Amino acid sequence: MEKEENKNMVLNNELIQAYKQMLSNPKDYNLPFKSIDEIFDPSDNAIAKHSVFEKYQSLIQRDIPKVVFYIIMDGLFVQRKADDGNLGWLLTFNV
């Protein structure tokens, strides 16, 4: 019987901070995408979190854990109900 690979991620502060550092400063890690600060600007209108996540992943062409992205963005942008009734962030895309 083959050993089953553990695919569970351990969510801790170090992991969140590592992703935040990488997404905030991608050039420091030779990553070919813009930083969070370059992609998003604060706004008075909320965009649903799931929509932001999907578009962000499409823009950077990388898969990142949704829960990690949500935790990082919750710390950066104010949350409000979006027009579609889902929880969102007060931001706009700057791309």
Side-chain angles (χ1 to χ4, degrees), residues 32-79:
F33 53 83
K34 293 182 178 183
S35 71
I36 287 177
D37 294 336
E38 294 173 301
I39 293 176
F40 302 112
D41 284 326
S43 173
D44 292 332
N45 300 313
I47 301 175
K49 290 182 176 189
H50 67 276
S51 296
V52 173
F53 177 72
E54 289 169 8
K55 184 169 181 180
Y56 180 73
Q57 282 204 133
S58 174
L59 288 169
I60 69 167
Q61 295 295 301
R62 297 284 191 275
D63 290 329
I64 60 172
K66 184 185 263 188
V67 67
V68 171
F69 180 74
Y70 279 29
I71 291 169
I72 292 169
M73 295 297 284
D74 284 350
L76 297 174
F77 292 95
V78 175
Q79 299 176 60

Side-chain angles (χ1 to χ4, degrees), residues 2 4 13 24 28 42 52-53 58 66 75 77-78 81 84 89:
E2 291 184 29
E4 186 173 321
N13 190 50
S24 296
D28 292 351
V52 173
F53 177 72
S58 174
K66 184 185 263 188
F77 292 95
V78 175
K81 186 183 278 191
D84 68 358
W89 293 293

